[in-house]
Structure formats: C-alpha cells, structure tokens
Amino acid sequence: MPDQDRLEILRGRHDPLPEQRGAELRGLLTELADDVLRELLGDPGPGIALLAVGGYGRCQPAFGSDLDLVLLHDGSRSDVSAVADAVWYPLWDAGIGLDHSVRTVDEAIAVADDDLKAALGLLDVRRIAGDDELVRTLARRARDRWRTRAPKRLPELAAAVAERADQLGEVAFLLEPDVKESRGGLRDLAALHALAAAWVAEVPSARVLAAAEVLLDVRGEIRRINAGRAQDRLLLQDGTAVATALDYPDSMALAHAVADAGRTISWAWDATWYRTAAGLRSTSRWRSRRPVRRPLDEGVVEQDGEIQLALDIDPTKDPALVLRVAAAAARTGVPMGRFAVDRLAREAPSMPDPWPPAARDSLVALLATGPAAIGVLETLDQVGLLVRLLPEWAAVRSRPQRNPYHRFTVDRHLIETAARAAAFTRDVDRPDLLLLGALLHDIGKGYPGDHTDAGIEQVRRIGPRLGLPPADVDVLIAMIRHHLLLGESATRRDIDDLATIEAVAGAAGSERILTLLHLLTEADSRATGPTAWNAWKARLIGDLVARARALLGGQSVPCPPRLDERQRALLALTPEHVIQVNPLPDEGMFEIVVVTDDQVGLLAVTAGVLALNRLDIRRASARSADGRALLQAAVATQHGYLPERDKLLADLRAALGGTLDIARRLADRERDYAGVRQWTTPGPPQVSFDDLGTATVAEVRAPDQAGVLFRIVRALSELRLDVGTAIVATLGLDVVDAFYLREADGGPVTDPARQGEIARAVLRALGAEVAADDADLADLAGIADTAGAAPGL
C-alpha cells in the first residue's frame, strides 16, 4: 500500500516540492503517480494493463488533477474486477479524483466511436504497467479509427471547440481566464494535436507548444495555491502569487504572457481548422494539371480558396505587398494562404520612411472592410508582420487592461475600434483619418505616463512616417488628445450647462474634428465592452454634439431653460410628497420624479431610497421654487426590476420622517454581500475640483458599492452645500460622480481651504483615511491630481 504522504501529494493537500515549477514539477508528479499506481497494481500478469490517457497520458498533471485511467484486458481474465478494485478503492479512500474505466480493446474502440472525449483520450494512451502488446494494439487501433472516421469526428471536434468558446470566452481577453477550457486554452491545444493525429494537419509548431508551456505552468501554480482543488481559472486574487512563483515581474506581466499564449493557440486553431475544413469539404478526387489563379490585385491572386502571391512577384522588392495581400483577403473574405503568409514573413522588407501613398491607401482599404479586417490583422500580428509595419504596435501587443469594463487587450481593442469605425466612413469627409485615428487612439497605453500624452507623441512620429501631410497629422493628434472628451463630458458633466458646451466646442475647434470625435467615441465605446455603450449614453453624446456644433456654426445653442413648463407644473403640485415613475425611451431606464418641501439633505435621502430599492442613478438634478423642491433622477433597473411607486413613496416618507435609517439599511446590505468575492480597485477614493465660473464641480471617484452616492451627498449636505446636479458614471469597478456645488449664498466653491474641507468630508464618508482637519487642500494634492486620470475607453 502506498504511504499516506504520497497519496496526499496526489490529492494536492501536501506539497513536498516547493522549489519545483513548470515541466519539472509535471514530470515529478507524473513519476509519483505512476509509481503509486504500479505499486497498487503489482504484477497483473498477461492479458491486462493499466493505461494513462488524456492529460495524464500526456504527462501533464497538476496538483489535485484527476487521474485518467483505463484498465485494459483481453477478455480472458476472470479476476479483472478484483484487480480494478485493488487500484480504484485506495485512491478513492485517499480522496483522489479518478476518471476510470475497465474495458477490452474492442469495448474501448466502441465507446470512442460514440464519445468524442473518449476518442480524444485514446490518442494519448501511455502504458503505466502490464501487457505492453495489448497497449500497442489499442493505441494503433484507436489512431487508425480516428483517421478513418476523420470526416465525421473532426467537425464534432470543431463544434466542441466553438461551444467552449461561446460558454467560457477567450483566454486572451478574460479578466479571470480558465487556462484549460477557455478559447485558446489547453483544450484547444489538445484539439490541434487531434488534427495532427488524423493526418490532416501538421503537429503544432514550436511557438504554439511554447505558448502551451506558459499555460501549463500557470495551471500548475493555480492548483498549488488552491491546495489541489479543481480550479483552472486564474483569479485576480491569485495573480501576484502565481507571478512570483513563475518569476514574472508582477501580475500584469503574468496576465500579458497568458493573453499572448491564448492568442497564439486560438489563432493556430483557427488557421489550422480552416485548411482542414476546406479539405473535408472538397469532394473532387481530381484536379486540373494547372491550378486556377484569379488575379485580385498587383501580385495577389486567389488559388484553391486562399490568397496567394503571383508567380512573378518578388516580395523583397515590394514593401507594400503585405498590405495589398491583407486588403484583398479582407475585401474578398478569402483567407491568406499559409505559403503566402510564411513567405511574406520571411522576405517582406521594412516599409520605407515615408510610406508610399499606395501602401497607406492599402492600409486604409484594409481597415475600411470593418469586421473582416480583424482576422486578417490578427494573422499579420501572429507572424510578426504587423509590428514590422508599425513598430509602436509592440508596446501594446497583448497588453491586458485588467478591468471588467474593457473586453479586449489594448491591441485588439484598437483593431476592434477601427472595425466599428468602418461603419461610419460615409458620414465623414475624411474616412481615412477616422480609421487611422480609431486604430491609433490608445496607442499610448503601451508607454509610461498618461496614455493620451504618450499617444500624441507616438502619432507625431507615426503620422509623417505614414506619409501624411502636417495638416492631417494635426487632425490625428486632435483626435488622440480629445478621444475621451465627449464621453467624459456627456456622462460626467451637465450637458445643459453652457460652460460644458463651450468647453467641448472650444476643444474640438472645428465641425470636422467634432464629427470625427463623435464617431470615434461611439466606435471606441462599442469596442470596449457591453456596458460602455447604450441608448442613454448615445442620446447624451448626441445632444451634446448637436449643441457644440450649433455653437461652432454661430447658431444659438438649444439649451433648456432653468425651469421648463413641465417642471413648473410639477413644483405646483399640492400633495406634501409626490413621486412619479416614468419610463424613458432607453431600455431599462426610468425617470423618478420627487416633489416635496425644500429642505437640506433631500437629494441624499432620495439617493438612499433609490439605492435601497436597487435603482442605479445615472443622473439627478435638483431645482426649487417658492419653498418646494423638485428632484428628477434617471435610473437604471437591475435584472428587469420595475420601480414600485408606492414603495418608493412609503420609503421616502419614512426616511424624511426619521423612521427609516437609510445608512443602517445600506450597511446591512453590504454585510450580507461581504462573503461574496467581488472585484475591487486598489487605492483610496479620489476627489478633484473644477471651477466652471457659475458653479464648482466636485468629481469623486470611488469603488462601486451600494449607497456610495447617498454617503457622498449626505456629507455634502452636512456642509450646507447646494447640490444642483449629480451625474453618475460607472467605469469598470469604479463610479465617477460629479456634483455641481454652490454655497448657500449661490456662489461657487472657490476657496482652496473650503475645497479641502469638502474633500476630507467626502473621503471620510467613503471610509478613506485623510489628513488632519487643519490641513489644507495641498495635503490632498496627490488625490486631486490623479482624480482626472481615468482609464480611457
């Protein structure tokens, strides 16, 4: 019987190998498992063998991995059940996971015919002990069967890969990827090996195998950290520990390596499966002596469903050929052939400085194909051609963004933005600048410092190298400088305030740039993630752009008056408390109207009541006249919940009457969720101020939690400040709330000491440690200076 320590190691509860990592650790675990199993099996005699299959068969176990085993026999032994029990039961008793079976060769082949997972497992058969000839027979028959049934089994395999991708996302783009099951993970590598085993594709390249080693090493440390539990997802909370164990500088470097590995494997699968599927679809057993070559562009032809190079073309003398090939592939939907891609990767020269106009035109033509360009650019990237065209691309390549707001790595986000901008090329007079600006708007994220400033410096070099005249480079620089302008102004400032409109118009400077910024903002938001663009945001930005365009055109700005007719009518309503719930044209959005006697802290109470009713405030404004107050809040509902007017009214009355303790109720809710793992952002809340002349905007950035708005507004009301408008924006894990403040006398808050007092009160309300009461705003300079450095879309 194996000793308990070895069983505990296999279970993942005991780690006697703290210095071993990666392939060395996997080898030691394989050797340990093999020794334990041989000891349990003993000498089984002829006609019986114990096999490892699947990941264990490939010698890739991690702490706590299930052991994939087959007890194979020839059907002549009467003691097979006793032999199996002698192996299985001690492992079960030790808590070791097993994926096991007892079969003859014929039974194993029959099961594999109906079970794709079993068929794939038999491709990695490895003998642990027993009848060697029996094992060779099964391995030979399993591989022969896999090859002969390839036309049926390989589409099943591809469907399984696609299903996993739909369910589990992509390793490269997930905040917490499953390095085994997600697209681009270890399962997809096994699928590539299965294609090779069917003799329809080459074995995975050294580059793909190196990517797999990265994921295997990471999986090994994930299992080690989680004490052998069945955990293959790289959680944010484990990133630093895994990075340290594998000698990465930090968790960001680890995430970068994982993303790059996932992209390499997923691209290899896509490229390999396309060629495989094309071969399976071909029903012709004969082909003409000379292949049909259809010209597509200078030096570019289509042959046998792939883009290839013309016979007489010399890539070494034609630097623009890469982009002509890429544009033709995207335009026609025909993929670039492997031979053409490999030849270009070997022979294509660097682009001259400046680029020939034809090369720039081909790049624009490629980007203008929209979504079709994404896969083509990914191919150029995977073989090193994209960095050769744009050396600055290396700094953003596979760079993670590490928050749930952004769906993609920086480089993929840039490509996705350009693809979405292609839908708007007919809406601008310079579609080339729109597409190039979309491709480059976040290029600064790969460089130190503010990404906008860094991006401007890069574009100052890239633009002339592309052969753009100075005036066009200036337009691109303006797009980079102000690519966050419309989104931040519309969602974090009052678009009814003339100061906001003037600031946007002044920054844009011309209707052309304003239009380019408008379309870039939508493309950027749509490429960011599902929460970054909605009808509500589109309407706010559209209204802001229309007003700024009117100002630039010398027309009157269509701003609503301080009190319109509807608001005057609402303020005239006579019941003590009035609440209305009105649907907005944006899906899941409602207007909540509150009319009551004017009093200090009313906005805080209303914000708290709405938070208790699980309504997310996006924008709130307060107006008063003749002792009555009107609050209007645009709210978003959660999970299809519809606001209940009667409950809101009852909660408001109770809160104003002092019988509903909002702060305690919100604190109770936070305690209820305390045991649930939630993403958080590092660092304390931040406060900054912006003087608009007629009012002062206090901008507060803090982790997104229930009741944040209530606590902030309550702190402001305790300082006897008038909050005219509150605007709430969510950026990933944070909320960025902007408050239009005035003193009790109606003037703006311009005194630095007063601003320091406000900042300290807000930060205390959010649970942050702040400077002493007698400190001025300078003590909070680090907080105030960084508050505006929000991550861009």
Side-chain angles (χ1 to χ4, degrees):
M1 177 67 63
D3 63 78
Q4 191 62 31
D5 283 346
R6 288 189 294 166
L7 294 175
E8 285 293 303
I9 295 170
L10 292 179
R11 189 182 179 189
R13 296 297 181 85
H14 178 50
D15 179 11
L17 311 168
E19 303 303 320
Q20 277 70 40
R21 300 286 185 267
E24 183 181 11
L25 175 62
R26 293 189 290 277
L28 291 172
L29 289 175
T30 299
E31 183 180 346
L32 174 64
D34 288 355
D35 288 346
V36 167
L37 289 166
R38 290 189 187 107
E39 186 174 335
L40 290 171
L41 183 67
D43 182 6
I48 197 166
L50 184 62
L51 316 179
V53 297
Y56 178 37
R58 294 189 296 272
C59 301
Q60 295 174 349
F63 282 109
S65 293
D66 288 353
L67 298 179
D68 299 330
L69 300 170
V70 176
L71 188 65
L72 191 67
H73 63 100
D74 62 5
S76 66
R77 298 280 295 261
S78 60
D79 60 344
V80 172
S81 294
V83 172
D85 290 347
V87 176
W88 307 153
Y89 275 98
L91 298 176
W92 284 331
D93 291 343
I96 297 170
L98 294 180
D99 187 347
H100 65 289
S101 60
V102 179
R103 294 187 178 116
T104 64
V105 171
D106 288 342
E107 289 170 345
I109 297 299
V111 169
D113 281 346
D114 296 325
D115 186 332
L116 178 64
K117 182 180 178 182
L120 293 174
L122 293 183
L123 298 178
D124 296 303
V125 165
R126 182 173 61 83
R127 173 184 171 275
I128 297 174
D131 193 323
D132 190 44
E133 181 59 32
L134 194 61
V135 177
R136 285 198 295 268
T137 299
L138 175 62
R140 183 183 67 253
R141 287 186 58 184
R143 286 182 168 262
D144 288 346
R145 189 67 169 166
W146 179 253
R147 286 191 290 271
T148 58
R149 303 195 72 203
K152 176 179 183 298
R153 304 315 300 267
L154 296 187
E156 290 181 45
L157 175 65
V161 171
E163 183 179 1
R164 281 200 312 275
D166 289 342
Q167 292 178 350
L168 299 169
E170 300 193 44
V171 166
F173 308 131
L174 288 167
L175 193 62
E176 295 184 331
D178 186 319
V179 298
K180 182 179 180 182
E181 301 287 350
S182 296
R183 172 175 164 81
L186 296 170
R187 288 279 191 204
D188 287 0
L189 178 72
L192 284 168
H193 281 295
L195 295 183
W199 291 359
V200 298
E202 298 175 352
V203 296
S205 67
R207 183 166 176 267
V208 173
L209 294 177
E213 287 293 308
V214 171
L215 300 186
L216 284 167
D217 292 353
V218 169
R219 180 178 182 240
E221 295 309 311
I222 293 172
R223 288 296 186 98
R224 191 200 298 265
I225 288 170
N226 288 277
R229 291 192 297 273
Q231 168 67 276
D232 297 317
R233 190 175 296 279
L234 178 57
L235 303 178
L236 286 176
Q237 65 196 37
D238 295 337
T240 298
V242 174
T244 300
L246 297 177
D247 294 327
Y248 288 96
D250 51 35
S251 61
M252 179 64 80
L254 170 68
H256 195 161
V258 169
D260 195 50
R263 287 178 63 186
T264 297
I265 293 172
S266 63
W267 177 80
W269 167 260
D270 287 343
T272 306
W273 174 244
Y274 175 83
R275 295 192 299 275
T276 300
L280 294 175
R281 288 193 300 268
S282 177
T283 57
S284 174
R285 298 181 59 187
W286 303 95
R287 57 180 297 173
S288 60
R289 289 180 176 272
R290 301 184 63 182
V292 177
R293 300 171 69 84
R294 180 167 66 97
L296 298 176
D297 204 334
E298 181 184 354
V300 186
V301 299
E302 177 191 353
Q303 176 183 327
D304 293 336
E306 292 184 329
I307 300 292
Q308 298 291 356
L309 305 183
L311 296 176
D312 58 351
I313 196 71
D314 183 356
T316 65
K317 298 179 180 179
D318 190 350
L321 179 60
V322 170
L323 289 170
R324 290 204 305 278
V325 170
R331 184 177 66 250
T332 61
V334 178
M336 293 184 286
R338 184 60 179 268
F339 179 78
V341 170
D342 289 347
R343 189 177 176 196
L344 288 171
R346 289 194 311 269
E347 302 178 22
S350 299
M351 198 71 75
D353 186 358
W355 285 22
R360 186 175 65 253
D361 291 345
S362 292
L363 174 60
V364 171
L366 169 60
L367 298 177
T369 62
I374 296 173
V376 175
L377 288 167
E378 181 71 10
T379 295
L380 296 183
D381 177 77
Q382 288 293 324
V383 299
L385 286 168
L386 190 52
V387 169
R388 200 178 306 174
L389 292 168
L390 288 173
E392 295 79 7
W393 201 259
V396 296
R397 189 180 181 280
S398 295
R399 185 178 179 86
Q401 310 225 45
R402 301 307 301 275
N403 64 65
Y405 193 57
H406 286 88
R407 177 184 175 190
F408 297 111
T409 53
V410 176
D411 58 337
R412 180 60 178 270
H413 170 72
L414 292 174
I415 292 172
E416 293 277 344
T417 302
R420 283 160 175 75
F424 307 132
T425 52
R426 295 184 178 181
D427 300 327
V428 291
D429 62 343
R430 290 296 304 273
D432 56 333
L433 296 180
L434 173 63
L435 294 170
L436 292 173
L439 184 68
L440 299 172
H441 75 279
D442 272 346
I443 196 71
K445 285 188 174 180
Y447 298 87
D450 178 79
H451 83 277
T452 297
D453 294 338
I456 290 171
E457 291 306 309
Q458 298 308 313
V459 171
R460 289 190 199 279
R461 290 189 284 270
I462 294 171
R465 194 169 69 242
L466 294 178
L468 293 172
D472 288 354
V473 175
D474 288 343
V475 172
L476 285 182
I477 288 174
M479 293 176 68
I480 306 304
R481 176 175 285 120
H482 301 303
H483 73 279
L484 301 176
L485 174 69
L486 296 180
E488 290 186 348
S489 297
T491 60
R492 292 156 63 175
R493 292 295 183 267
D494 185 356
I495 66 171
D496 294 338
D497 189 335
L498 183 59
T500 301
I501 301 164
E502 289 175 338
V504 168
S510 70
E511 292 190 46
R512 167 186 280 181
I513 292 178
L514 181 65
T515 299
L516 288 170
L517 290 174
H518 187 192
L519 300 177
L520 172 60
T521 299
E522 180 171 347
D524 186 9
S525 299
R526 289 185 182 277
T528 294
T531 64
W533 189 256
N534 51 45
W536 167 255
K537 184 175 180 180
R539 186 153 56 87
L540 288 176
I541 292 176
D543 288 347
L544 176 58
V545 168
R547 295 169 185 180
R549 181 174 286 114
L551 190 62
L552 288 169
Q555 304 169 16
S556 61
V557 179
C559 286
R562 179 180 177 276
L563 287 175
D564 59 27
E565 292 185 6
R566 175 173 178 255
Q567 290 167 337
R568 292 182 185 278
L570 288 169
L571 283 165
L573 294 176
T574 54
E576 181 183 4
H577 305 301
V578 176
I579 283 188
Q580 294 181 358
V581 177
N582 304 312
L584 290 171
D586 315 303
E587 183 178 359
M589 297 285 293
F590 293 84
E591 178 199 42
I592 306 297
V593 175
V594 177
V595 183
T596 188
D597 292 337
D598 195 8
Q599 54 191 286
V600 174
L602 180 59
L603 180 57
V605 171
T606 304
V609 167
L610 296 178
L612 287 178
N613 284 270
R614 291 179 168 78
L615 298 172
D616 296 331
I617 297 177
R618 299 290 174 81
R619 182 177 296 257
S621 62
R623 293 170 173 83
S624 61
D626 301 325
R628 295 282 279 173
L630 166 66
L631 274 71
Q632 292 170 279
V635 303
T637 61
Q638 302 177 9
H639 311 300
Y641 167 77
L642 297 178
E644 300 179 29
R645 175 191 168 279
D646 291 343
K647 187 173 186 308
L648 289 172
L649 181 58
D651 286 350
L652 179 67
R653 286 172 172 162
L656 292 175
T659 60
L660 174 62
D661 189 339
I662 295 175
R664 183 184 60 79
R665 289 277 300 276
L666 289 173
D668 290 344
R669 178 183 296 178
E670 289 182 1
R671 280 194 295 272
D672 291 342
Y673 287 96
V676 180
R677 185 181 64 84
Q678 300 183 45
W679 290 319
T680 58
T681 49
Q686 301 168 347
V687 181
S688 63
F689 295 89
D690 185 10
D691 184 11
L692 301 181
T694 59
T696 298
V697 176
E699 190 169 283
V700 182
R701 182 174 185 137
D704 188 8
Q705 298 175 354
V708 167
L709 181 61
F710 163 73
R711 287 195 286 271
I712 296 172
V713 178
R714 183 176 63 172
L716 295 174
S717 65
E718 289 173 352
L719 294 174
R720 312 299 293 182
L721 290 162
D722 176 25
V723 181
T725 302
I727 301 169
V728 179
T730 301
L731 290 176
L733 306 176
D734 283 352
V735 291
V736 182
D737 296 350
F739 304 91
Y740 280 67
L741 303 180
R742 291 181 179 85
E743 296 284 11
D745 61 5
V749 184
T750 56
D751 179 24
R754 177 64 162 163
Q755 291 181 358
E757 180 186 16
I758 294 169
R760 287 190 294 274
V762 169
L763 293 174
R764 285 197 191 93
L766 297 174
E769 295 183 4
V770 297
D773 289 343
D774 59 351
D776 59 21
L777 188 61
D779 293 323
L780 303 175
I783 297 176
D785 289 347
T786 58
L793 292 177

